[in-house]
Amino acid sequence: MRRTFLVILLGLSLLNPLPMAAQEPVDASVNERIEREGMNNSRIMQTLHYLTDMYGPRLTGSPYHKAAAEWAAKEMTKWGLANARLEPWDFGHPGWLNERLTAHIISPVKDHLTGEVLAWTPSTPGVVTAQAFHLIPPDRPTAEQLTAYLDSVKERVRGKIVLVGKHQFVPVTITPSTRRVEDAQLRQRFDPNNQNADQRPPFARGQQGPPPQPGVLNPRQIAEQIDAFLVANGAAVRIDDGGREHGQIRAFHNRTFDPSKVAPTVILRNEDFGRISRLLANGSPVELEFNVVNRIYPEGRTSYNVVAEIPGTDKGDEVIMLGGHLDSWHAATGATDNAIGCAVMMEAARIIHSLGLKPRRTIRVALWGGEEQGLLGSLAYVKEHFGTAENPKPAYEKFGGYFNIDTGTGRVRGLTVFGPPEAASVIREIIAPFEKFGVMGAAASRSRGLGGSDHTSFNQAGLPGIGAMQDPIEYGSATWHTNLDTYERIIEDDARKSAVVIASAVYHLAMRDQLLPRFAGDQMPQPPGARPATPPVTPAAPARQGNR
């Protein structure tokens, strides 16, 4: 009777088979070896030491960035990776480096000041001692209003050290920002059945300003007009307010990259800017002393990406990539942004190679230059090697995905991939064994928009860029682009676990029979700004009038 019943069930199943999702093959024994190597024999902190303490900061075009790139290539060669090299690309601007900054208040009190120099600005002509003047333009002015104000004060700026803009009020933080994201929140975010899941990162990288108004200058236009005014009227130094709590300073760059178009410019911490501004507002003359020494490097017009490989076997002409950006801003040594991302990805490749694993596809590490100036290095690489969905190069169809890390020291908690839901399913099953590390899933993206980090250079081309969502720790609140971004802000255990997760994911993608699923040609999302395709008009289907 039991045998007859089983035969009947088998026959019914053949007539109406139950739908079963194909399981992604995951090699548990390899994962165990990867975890053991990554957690017990990590080289991450040694790599981080060299990239930060020895070669930081790594501003694009600077000799430190090139030296870090050369060191990384040599180190990966020592580990046994193949074809390690620097690939040049055209930055188009000279390199720049700040060699010295000293700043003091001389009277009515004596004290040192804390600041950072704006990149691609000029030196002072030696030590400059001068009276301070506070230039406060009208809020949201028109060009005429700003010109009228500047004309009214131009006799007062010559030879002066000029504070520009109101002192920014920075409120005391009562509720600290999130350091870890709750597992339940991430499960919901990565739930493939949750159509309303919030796929945004767990912290915002900036705030949007007020919407533009007709005739009102935007902040960039105001800055350009003030810069030209200060140069034309002989200001000795420009000082901006850092505008952040606890002495944090973000110093970016002169957007023209031409030092002749700006005065020597220093960003002072909010506390020092406020002290000077209050003294001036109270009617007390303030005397300041600055010495700024900067250097230009013409050879910096050529920048570099670093690449190294673990050659594949039977599918060696197909490529899986992983990487992060090697360049940094110059206010600190660029530890969380993004030496740790580079160290994690280098470590993931080292783990795979050190275990003697033989991936079927070639695994390629890439450390980018120029990310901070607009993803320039990765954009140049994708254009040179792969092309786009609309204009592909031969290697385009043999590309299997690029993993990117660039949001600080926090553990990888999930991944996003540009591609159809099937691509996210593959990634989700591959990383599922690491739920014990807090990895909560993967999500698919249809956006070919550029921004955030280097994986979007691949997304823009229609290729599967894979971005890591990480615990925020102090990234958005303290270290991102600030003078606090140093070796001390790294959590080693988080970085080791991230390297293990990435090593496993990269290896398993390199071993699959098929490449990661992609959008079919007619399903490929259009890049931002592209005009939607217009269906052909035939007598049987006349074009409709009005908006489509």
Side-chain angles (χ1 to χ4, degrees), residues 145 204 330 363 444:
Q145 289 170 335
H330 57 289
I363 294 172

Side-chain angles (χ1 to χ4, degrees), residues 487-543:
Y487 180 100
E488 288 75 13
R489 303 279 67 81
I490 298 303
I491 302 174
E492 183 177 1
D493 185 68
D494 278 29
R496 290 189 183 208
K497 288 174 178 174
S498 293
V500 168
V501 172
I502 295 296
S504 172
V506 167
Y507 172 76
H508 282 94
L509 278 195
M511 295 299 291
R512 298 183 80 244
D513 289 336
Q514 303 296 325
L515 287 168
L516 192 65
R518 292 201 209 168
F519 288 112
D522 60 344
Q523 299 298 315
M524 174 65 71
Q526 294 192 345
R531 298 182 64 181
T534 303
V537 177
T538 66

Side-chain angles (χ1 to χ4, degrees), residues 59-60 91 94-96 118-121 253-254 257-259 262 296 373:
L59 189 66
T60 301
F91 180 40
W96 178 94
L118 194 72
W120 284 279
T121 56
H253 68 278
N254 159 26
F257 293 93
D258 183 351
V262 295
I296 291 292
Q373 288 74 41

Side-chain angles (χ1 to χ4, degrees), residues 200-255:
R200 293 175 297 175
F203 64 91
R205 279 195 166 198
Q207 297 179 347
Q208 297 294 322
Q213 293 183 358
V216 173
L217 298 177
N218 62 43
R220 180 169 181 171
Q221 291 169 323
I222 295 171
E224 289 172 348
Q225 190 166 336
I226 291 175
D227 278 332
F229 167 80
L230 294 176
V231 171
N233 290 280
V237 177
R238 171 176 174 157
I239 298 177
D240 289 348
D241 187 348
R244 296 181 63 81
E245 65 180 356
H246 304 313
Q248 296 176 22
I249 300 170
R250 287 177 177 165
F252 297 117
H253 68 278
N254 159 26
R255 292 183 180 274

Side-chain angles (χ1 to χ4, degrees), residues 186-330:
L186 285 176
R187 284 195 183 96
Q188 181 183 38
R189 183 172 290 163
F190 287 113
D191 183 353
N193 298 314
N194 182 3
Q195 299 299 315
N196 298 316
D198 181 1
Q199 299 297 344
R200 293 175 297 175
F203 64 91
R205 279 195 166 198
Q207 297 179 347
Q208 297 294 322
Q213 293 183 358
V216 173
L217 298 177
N218 62 43
R220 180 169 181 171
Q221 291 169 323
I222 295 171
E224 289 172 348
Q225 190 166 336
I226 291 175
D227 278 332
F229 167 80
L230 294 176
V231 171
N233 290 280
V237 177
R238 171 176 174 157
I239 298 177
D240 289 348
D241 187 348
R244 296 181 63 81
E245 65 180 356
H246 304 313
Q248 296 176 22
I249 300 170
R250 287 177 177 165
F252 297 117
H253 68 278
N254 159 26
R255 292 183 180 274
T256 71
F257 293 93
D258 183 351
S260 69
K261 294 186 177 180
V262 295
T265 303
V266 175
I267 316 298
L268 280 191
R269 66 176 181 173
N270 179 256
E271 296 85 349
D272 286 345
F273 191 102
R275 181 185 192 182
I276 297 168
S277 69
R278 288 189 294 271
L279 287 168
L280 292 171
N282 196 43
S284 300
V286 176
E287 189 174 26
L288 304 174
E289 178 186 278
F290 279 77
N291 184 23
V292 179
V293 179
N294 300 324
R295 189 177 299 276
I296 291 292
Y297 292 86
E299 63 271 25
R301 290 181 177 275
T302 299
S303 191
Y304 302 91
N305 298 320
V306 186
V307 294
E309 296 176 338
I310 302 173
T313 55
D314 62 307
K315 293 181 177 290
D317 59 339
E318 298 179 352
V319 177
I320 308 296
M321 293 185 66
L322 67 161
H325 72 87
L326 185 60
D327 66 304
S328 75
W329 287 111
H330 57 289

Side-chain angles (χ1 to χ4, degrees), residues 10-76:
L10 177 62
L12 290 173
S13 68
L14 292 174
L15 290 172
N16 186 24
L18 296 173
M20 296 183 63
Q23 293 296 305
E24 192 67 26
V26 175
D27 191 326
S29 65
V30 168
N31 275 350
E32 182 180 349
R33 294 173 64 198
I34 286 174
E35 182 176 344
R36 188 183 309 119
E37 175 66 22
M39 297 306 293
N40 297 338
N41 301 314
S42 175
R43 295 292 301 272
I44 285 177
M45 299 308 285
Q46 179 74 353
T47 299
L48 182 76
H49 161 65
Y50 275 91
L51 294 181
T52 57
D53 299 332
M54 185 68 71
Y55 299 115
R58 305 171 304 279
L59 189 66
T60 301
S62 73
Y64 292 164
H65 175 257
K66 186 179 180 184
E70 291 171 339
W71 178 84
K74 291 178 182 177
E75 188 72 358
M76 288 189 284

